[in-house]
Amino acid sequence: MTTRRLNSGGLIDRSKPISFWFDGKTYEGFEGDTLASALLANGVSIVGRSFKYHRPRGVWSAWVDEPNAIMNIRLNGKEQPNCLATTTYIEEGMAARSVNAFPTAKYDIKGGLDLFHRFLGAGFYYKTFIWPDWHLFEPAIRKMAGLGAVDREVLEDFQSAQNHAKCDVLVVGGGAAGLTAARAAAEAGKDVVLVDDQRVLGGSLYRCGATADIDPDEWVAAQKTAIENAGGRILTHTTAYGVYDHGLVALVQSQGFGRAPALWRMRAGQVIMATGALDRPITFAKNDLPGTMSLNAAGEYLARYGVMAANKPLVMRNNSHASATIENLRAAGSKVEEIDHVDGITNQGRKHTTGLRIGKDQIDADGVLVSGGLTPLVHLWRHAGGKLDWCETRQAFVPKPATDAMIAIGAANGTYDLAQAIEEAEAAGKGTPIDRPSTTYTTTLIDTKPHSKGRQWIDFQHDVTLKDIEVAARENYVSVEHLKRYTTLGMAFDQGKTSNMAGLTAMAALRGKPIPQVGTTTFRPPFVPVPLEIYHGAKTKQLWSPVKRLPLEDKHRDLDAAFCEYGGWLRPGWYGSGDRDATIQKEAKAARDTAGIFDGSTLGKIEVMGPDAEAFLNFVYYNTIKSLKPGGIRYGFMLTEGGIVYDDGVVTRVDQNRFIVSCSSSHVDGVRTHLEAWRQDGNDPDRIFVHDQTTAWATVTVTGPKARDVLSSLDTTIDLAPDAFPHMTFREGTMGAIPLRIARVSFSGDLSYEVSVPTGHAETLWNAITAAGKEQGVSPIGLEAMSILRAEKGFIIIGKDTDGETMPHDLGFTIPRAKKKAAFIGDRSLHTEKANADDRKVLVGLSVPDGEPPLATGAHAFTETPTRRSLGYVTSSYQSPNVGPIALAIIEAPHAKVGDTIKIWHKEEVREVTICDPCRFDSEGGRLHA
Amino acid sequence: MQIFTCPFCGPRDEREFHFIAEAGKTRPDTLNQISDEDWAAYLHSHRNEKGHVREIWMHTTCGELFLLERDSVTMEVLGSTALREAGQ
Ligand SMILES: [Zn+2]
């Protein structure tokens, strides 16, 4: 294996050798090499196997447009799939493995697939694997078709930094045009950021920019210094991969192999797009054979890496731009022979090109370099909604004139001539853009000849050939979007950077239409693949969705509470480290036998005030609020305009113009927004005020027969006597010097008080109540026990015992629907055909035969007649220490009469249960009013 | 990611805003007879225009509703007006 590294030239550091591995063999490169340049320098020709046919493939390009050299790379115990060898800089000890090849790219046991290529044409997957079931074939196909494997171990410390920045002018691309524009803009006083995706600025300057006037190294250094002296910022290794609304540009900044790239959300006043142009492939038979490379890539390998891609190559080109590169290759000693592209040309060789055959003539060579014309890189332009023009001279889509937000310059704008590009860039940077200069560039369209012999590759990465395009055209998949999906053209992870224009050209030729009439596909972000991690950063677990924490959390921890998340709050599920279920049963029993102390601080406390508060709440609630007296409390529903139950809770009327809306713990933000929206839209916002006080007050609930005894020993100004303070009333007072509110409401069905103090005094209240409780043998209970208590009474939890169709009359609350005089949210929706239907699902209780365990929550009730279907489902189910197994369900009304039996299905098991009243405990309510 | 301007707080990231409704939709007086069709239109029919649209948004961080005018094609923001100034 001969080295193709030259003794001088390039941007690599020959004093710093680096060892790396590829497919189990060790090689040497230099600092500044990419994996691709180092492999080429070592004479490695086959770098991967193609996706569908497992054909040997070599390096095609020198940067992001590479379709073939995709690798799994391991370094320091970290492995990453889908790495492009052309954009991955080598590091000491790096181990690369070709993908789609087993065991190595050179010897691939699946290479035999290629013999069956006639069966793997366009639409193959769609046509072949539909019957009997695609899923039977999918695992095997996925295994065969993968582009690498993910290693779980990488994930732990793989976290992307999230940077937010803004600038006046963002210049994308650090070639001659970008550097010039950035300098001009910075020197004009603009806040400028220049990004370039390579390690060294300069773009194509090293390959084709050396002239008598310009030494690329010196010129680039001078521009860089000038930009930075004028206050501009430069980010290398950074790709602008998406342009979004209002000037947001997403940048991905590489942090080296194995480290998560950083995301920059750059808000730019103006984007100057200087992204350059790509070289197109030429379509001819076996044009995918290793050793066949983009001419411009060969120029890049020479100029940036001191690597000679081929010593005696044949060159096919159709454009004037190629001349400079050909000259440079010759000057470096390559024996370039130019030949014309003619029909019937065929690549020779099996694993590497040995030359071309034209008719009967065989021309030997060690490489084939092709240049099918330049394609401006307009991806970002299209992301921003910019339009394109077809340019006949350039045979390419070029940006239409600029908007204020975005301007294209240099090769990205079809301005390929260096002097013109610099002039255009200077003007754009100064804010006085000029029209696109007329070009000296010439090119001829290489006519794709349909039905010619041999397989001619259009999309190297997805193995799409000219024949596939012919099949698509024949079967009338002629729209570009259909062509793409039918053949998978341009749908590999290079997203058609090399193949789209070739595909369009072929379709245009097949249909006998000009290219612009065939159209072009949509360009969507990201321009290069980015790991999903980039959007994620530190926003994970608690930082992604922070739990709300109780003011009394430390107190609960002192009691060894088991904390669980309930509706966004971290709350005690039960207390103590004993067996979970036994503990919960014990707490639920104690609360009925004596009492329980419960942290209810999470309950909503939204104050609604003002002269129109009463009318407003009367409109917001299903239930009538108008008749509620000061000091009174009422249970009610809020509905959506669709009549669906949105929230339940109690409303307290503190005085004539002041209410407290106590909505569900998990619903406070939603209810506040709901109230605000209605307050401001349709009401006089100066006569109603909504103020969320939920976290300003801490609440401790005491529930059970001994609740009054516990509270009586507290030093408060509030009279707890049953006559003075009946059920569903509210009192304000003090405890010592601390303001105190007590609401006598009950979620357990027992005598129950919700005692609230300003949050700062939460511990004082807790200490006082738990101390008083101790004397009565009363302990704290967690949310799990409370859930059992409320289910014993048939008290619902919205969203658990109701769903997106539940209306208040389904829950037995029928009176306002029939009788309420005032308008309220959702009122009209309660009288539609659907709302009046007699088969609506209604809330019921379910009773299991003696000795049987509780039902499974979520289990469906069903009927067999006339055919098997669901009648509803179990919404809550518990083992109660007080009444045995209990369950709530919503069941279609004709099947939900108390006393009926119904079948419940769960995991193949069928059980017969009896419909009963949802309330299973103290149905007369004597304990509630004790 | 768009930038909307709250009339009270100034330009902010779109993630701080919550869409409420298209402007100009009036709730029927439900104390009168309303046909199923009219009520369904109120609940579910939206103009969803292409081009210049007028919408009610809430800036969730300050809680205020305002009229946002924007272009649904170009995403250009054309103006923000406090609801009481807009006369609803
Ligand atoms: Zn605001």
Side-chain angles (χ1 to χ4, degrees):
Chain A
M1 210 167 274
T2 53
T3 177
R4 292 184 181 271
R5 181 86 70 185
L6 304 181
N7 291 327
S8 63
L11 309 174
I12 48 165
D13 186 345
R14 287 179 175 74
S15 70
K16 291 181 181 157
I18 292 175
S19 302
F20 68 98
W21 297 77
F22 172 66
D23 276 355
K25 289 181 73 175
T26 180
Y27 299 95
E28 199 159 270
F30 295 117
E31 188 172 287
D33 259 328
T34 63
L35 257 175
S37 69
L39 287 171
L40 285 171
N42 282 284
V44 175
S45 169
I46 302 175
V47 295
R49 289 274 170 167
S50 72
F51 184 67
K52 211 156 74 177
Y53 303 123
H54 287 253
R55 286 173 63 89
R57 289 286 161 80
V59 174
W60 157 263
S61 90
W63 197 240
V64 290
D65 48 327
E66 175 60 33
N68 297 330
I70 305 156
M71 299 182 180
N72 257 48
I73 298 179
R74 177 172 280 276
L75 178 68
N76 300 328
K78 294 181 176 181
E79 180 155 342
Q80 282 194 299
N82 289 0
C83 301
L84 283 185
T86 49
T87 60
T88 305
Y89 294 103
I90 57 169
E91 295 180 45
E92 185 64 38
M94 190 175 255
R97 197 156 42 78
S98 51
V99 298
N100 258 335
F102 179 84
T104 69
K106 204 171 169 189
Y107 306 101
D108 176 17
I109 57 170
K110 285 195 215 94
L113 271 182
D114 195 35
L115 300 175
F116 301 104
H117 68 80
R118 83 185 60 163
F119 304 117
L120 289 172
F124 167 73
Y125 293 109
Y126 297 118
K127 288 172 181 167
T128 311
F129 293 115
I130 290 168
W131 183 90
D133 181 0
W134 153 254
H135 296 102
L136 296 178
F137 300 102
E138 191 183 359
I141 289 174
R142 293 261 180 252
K143 188 162 186 250
M144 208 161 74
L147 283 171
V150 178
D151 179 0
R152 290 163 186 273
E153 288 170 41
V154 176
L155 300 175
E156 280 309 313
D157 56 351
F158 197 76
Q159 190 175 91
S160 285
Q162 309 279 305
N163 302 302
H164 296 257
K166 66 187 184 93
C167 61
D168 297 332
V169 178
L170 174 68
V171 181
V172 182
L179 286 166
T180 303
R183 176 182 179 158
E187 288 178 346
K190 296 279 206 263
D191 177 15
V192 173
V193 172
L194 171 80
V195 298
D196 188 78
D197 52 0
Q198 303 219 38
R199 191 177 67 97
V200 181
L201 293 169
S204 64
L205 208 53
Y206 306 99
R207 164 166 59 87
C208 54
T211 65
D213 307 333
I214 293 184
D215 172 84
D217 297 312
E218 282 175 22
W219 190 86
V220 169
Q223 307 313 308
K224 184 172 181 283
T225 307
I227 293 165
E228 287 174 343
N229 286 347
R233 289 171 281 169
I234 298 175
L235 301 173
T236 56
H237 295 288
T238 304
T239 311
Y241 69 83
V243 178
Y244 302 89
D245 294 325
H246 297 182
L248 181 71
V249 184
L251 311 175
V252 56
Q253 183 181 33
S254 168
Q255 305 293 307
F257 180 81
R259 287 171 285 276
L263 173 68
W264 289 76
R265 290 185 171 92
M266 180 68 71
R267 195 67 79 162
Q270 185 196 30
V271 177
I272 297 182
M273 188 180 78
T275 43
L278 292 180
D279 206 8
R280 270 178 235 169
I282 290 176
T283 309
F284 61 101
K286 290 174 74 179
N287 57 340
D288 68 327
L289 204 55
T292 312
M293 183 186 275
S294 145
L295 175 68
N296 283 354
E300 284 290 304
Y301 284 114
L302 176 64
R304 281 190 176 249
Y305 308 101
V307 172
M308 185 58 80
N311 292 320
K312 187 178 175 300
L314 299 174
V315 167
M316 273 190 280
R317 52 105 159 223
N318 70 340
N319 64 88
S320 57
H321 179 81
S323 303
T325 303
I326 292 171
E327 271 174 42
N328 291 346
L329 290 169
R330 281 182 174 147
S334 181
K335 295 190 177 56
V336 175
E337 185 181 344
E338 280 204 66
I339 60 157
D340 292 332
H341 176 271
V342 292
D343 194 27
I345 224 162
T346 306
N347 223 337
Q348 297 295 293
R350 281 178 59 78
K351 292 191 167 171
H352 189 93
T353 181
T354 57
L356 295 174
R357 190 161 48 95
I358 305 162
K360 285 176 187 143
D361 300 332
Q362 162 90 27
I363 312 174
D364 292 337
D366 67 347
V368 176
L369 307 179
V370 299
S371 176
L374 293 172
T375 302
L377 268 175
V378 294
H379 293 63
L380 300 179
W381 187 263
R382 293 291 297 125
H383 295 177
K387 300 278 188 291
L388 301 175
D389 271 330
W390 174 255
C391 173
E392 200 58 32
T393 310
R394 295 173 178 84
Q395 288 292 311
F397 288 104
V398 293
K400 272 195 193 287
T403 65
D404 289 345
M406 200 163 186
I407 182 167
I409 56 168
N413 197 37
T415 308
Y416 305 135
D417 179 84
L418 182 59
Q420 286 183 337
I422 288 176
E423 186 194 350
E424 184 181 62
E426 181 89 25
K430 283 180 172 157
T432 53
I434 56 171
D435 290 342
R436 179 185 294 120
S438 63
T439 187
T440 60
Y441 176 82
T442 55
T443 185
T444 50
L445 179 66
I446 296 181
D447 208 8
T448 311
K449 293 279 191 303
H451 319 302
S452 49
K453 281 189 177 169
R455 280 193 289 164
Q456 311 192 14
W457 261 262
I458 301 283
D459 185 331
F460 298 121
Q461 199 169 64
H462 253 172
D463 262 352
V464 178
T465 65
L466 180 58
K467 280 213 167 55
D468 295 319
I469 311 280
E470 288 171 21
V471 170
R474 198 164 62 229
E475 299 183 2
N476 209 27
Y477 291 95
V478 292
S479 123
V480 175
E481 297 291 348
H482 288 162
L483 168 68
K484 175 175 162 174
R485 281 156 186 83
Y486 196 57
T487 62
T488 74
L489 168 74
M491 288 176 73
F493 88 60
D494 68 351
Q495 288 287 291
K497 290 185 183 73
T498 51
S499 60
N500 274 347
M501 277 311 296
L504 278 184
T505 309
M507 185 53 93
L510 287 164
R511 297 181 65 199
K513 289 194 167 186
I515 290 174
Q517 282 187 31
V518 175
T520 177
T521 57
T522 311
F523 295 87
R524 292 188 183 90
F527 170 65
V528 291
V530 292
L532 284 176
E533 161 55 35
I534 202 162
Y535 299 103
H536 174 261
K539 266 201 229 157
T540 173
K541 297 168 186 167
Q542 284 300 305
L543 289 175
W544 171 249
S545 179
V547 287
K548 298 174 185 173
R549 312 188 79 134
L550 297 167
L552 289 168
E553 183 176 322
D554 286 349
K555 287 285 165 191
H556 300 310
R557 290 202 185 276
D558 289 346
L559 294 170
D560 208 10
F563 278 92
C564 311
E565 194 191 322
Y566 299 98
W569 284 90
L570 198 61
R571 305 179 67 179
W574 61 93
Y575 290 86
S577 52
D579 176 70
R580 174 191 185 274
D581 291 342
T583 307
I584 293 166
Q585 294 289 306
K586 202 179 82 200
E587 288 179 6
K589 182 154 195 323
R592 293 286 187 219
D593 291 347
T594 54
I597 298 166
F598 176 76
D599 188 336
S601 300
T602 61
L603 274 173
K605 301 170 205 83
I606 301 175
E607 300 209 11
V608 180
M609 297 160 279
D612 288 353
E614 177 193 277
F616 177 61
L617 287 180
N618 207 47
F619 173 70
V620 167
Y621 271 94
Y622 170 64
N623 314 70
T624 300
I625 302 298
K626 220 176 160 80
S627 55
L628 185 63
K629 300 268 184 302
I633 296 178
R634 187 159 293 169
Y635 176 76
F637 293 129
M638 285 185 202
L639 312 184
T640 66
E641 277 281 48
I644 306 305
V645 177
Y646 170 65
D647 191 63
D648 73 338
V650 296
V651 193
T652 301
R653 185 166 206 159
V654 180
D655 59 38
Q656 185 60 30
N657 293 336
R658 185 151 167 245
F659 298 81
I660 301 172
V661 170
S662 186
C663 51
S664 315
S665 300
S666 57
H667 248 169
V668 176
D669 294 339
V671 169
R672 182 177 50 80
T673 306
H674 180 74
L675 294 177
E676 266 303 338
W678 283 104
R679 165 187 169 255
Q680 294 178 51
D681 191 8
N683 284 286
D684 180 349
D686 291 336
R687 294 176 62 83
I688 309 161
F689 300 95
V690 174
H691 185 43
D692 179 11
Q693 289 261 62
T694 301
T695 55
W697 291 78
T699 303
V700 179
T701 301
V702 186
T703 172
K706 287 197 168 186
R708 189 179 294 112
D709 301 337
V710 173
L711 289 191
S712 296
S713 57
L714 264 56
D715 175 26
T716 78
T717 58
I718 298 171
D719 183 358
L720 297 171
D723 295 345
F725 194 174
H727 183 52
M728 296 305 266
T729 58
F730 172 85
R731 299 289 180 265
E732 289 180 290
T734 56
M735 182 176 74
I738 303 171
L740 186 71
R741 293 170 169 180
I742 302 181
R744 189 177 161 186
V745 291
S746 180
F747 194 41
S748 64
D750 260 316
L751 171 66
S752 186
Y753 298 92
E754 292 176 356
V755 186
S756 301
V757 294
T759 298
H761 299 289
E763 289 203 11
T764 309
L765 178 67
W766 179 261
N767 290 341
I769 289 181
T770 50
K774 210 164 208 166
E775 285 173 24
Q776 307 282 342
V778 171
S779 301
I781 62 169
L783 200 78
E784 295 296 332
M786 185 57 103
S787 300
I788 297 175
L789 300 180
R790 65 93 201 171
E792 290 172 357
K793 288 292 291 182
F795 293 162
I796 56 164
I797 295 175
I798 302 293
K800 177 168 172 60
D801 300 301
T802 66
D803 65 17
E805 295 189 334
T806 306
M807 291 180 165
H809 51 287
D810 302 330
L811 303 168
F813 291 81
T814 57
I815 293 171
R817 176 172 180 250
K819 303 228 168 108
K820 187 169 171 178
K821 293 280 185 290
F824 60 93
I825 296 173
D827 49 4
R828 179 62 182 81
S829 294
L830 300 180
H831 300 282
T832 62
E833 197 183 320
K834 175 100 177 157
N836 292 329
D838 54 14
D839 63 346
R840 295 190 60 81
K841 291 193 183 78
V842 297
L843 181 75
V844 294
L846 298 177
S847 149
V848 304
D850 283 347
E852 286 194 13
L855 295 163
T857 302
H860 277 255
F862 70 99
T863 178
E864 300 278 10
T865 49
T867 53
R868 184 182 249 226
R869 67 181 187 92
S870 170
L871 298 172
Y873 56 94
V874 178
T875 59
S876 291
S877 176
Y878 306 91
Q879 177 67 40
S880 157
N882 306 305
V883 295
I886 49 171
L888 299 176
I890 50 176
I891 308 279
E892 288 183 14
H895 302 269
K897 287 185 203 64
V898 170
D900 284 358
T901 57
I902 195 164
K903 284 182 185 158
I904 303 285
W905 189 91
H906 179 65
K907 290 186 176 172
E908 310 297 336
E909 187 197 4
V910 175
R911 294 175 61 182
E912 202 151 277
V913 301
T914 309
I915 306 279
C916 64
D917 193 279
C919 178
R920 300 281 293 278
F921 183 83
D922 185 34
S923 50
E924 293 79 31
R927 294 171 68 113
L928 204 54
H929 295 278
Chain B
M1 205 67 73
Q2 304 175 78
I3 293 178
F4 295 156
T5 300
C6 168
F8 311 94
C9 310
R12 311 288 285 231
D13 192 287
E14 70 171 88
R15 284 174 294 187
E16 293 186 9
F17 295 86
H18 178 66
F19 175 80
I20 301 288
E22 287 179 341
K25 200 172 208 176
T26 315
R27 186 178 200 271
D29 182 356
T30 50
L31 296 179
N32 294 327
Q33 281 285 330
I34 304 158
S35 69
D36 282 348
E37 288 72 24
D38 288 351
W39 184 249
Y42 162 68
L43 285 182
H44 305 298
S45 300
H46 307 288
R47 297 190 302 274
N48 199 18
E49 290 144 315
K50 187 173 179 181
H52 188 146
V53 293
R54 303 172 84 246
E55 297 165 337
I56 307 298
W57 286 73
M58 177 188 277
H59 185 213
T60 52
T61 43
C62 76
E64 288 288 338
L65 264 59
F66 64 97
L67 173 72
L68 178 68
E69 292 179 79
R70 60 188 194 93
D71 189 308
S72 62
V73 177
T74 64
M75 299 296 154
E76 190 184 352
V77 172
L78 305 169
S80 303
T81 318
L83 212 51
R84 59 180 85 197
E85 281 169 43
Q88 305 197 10

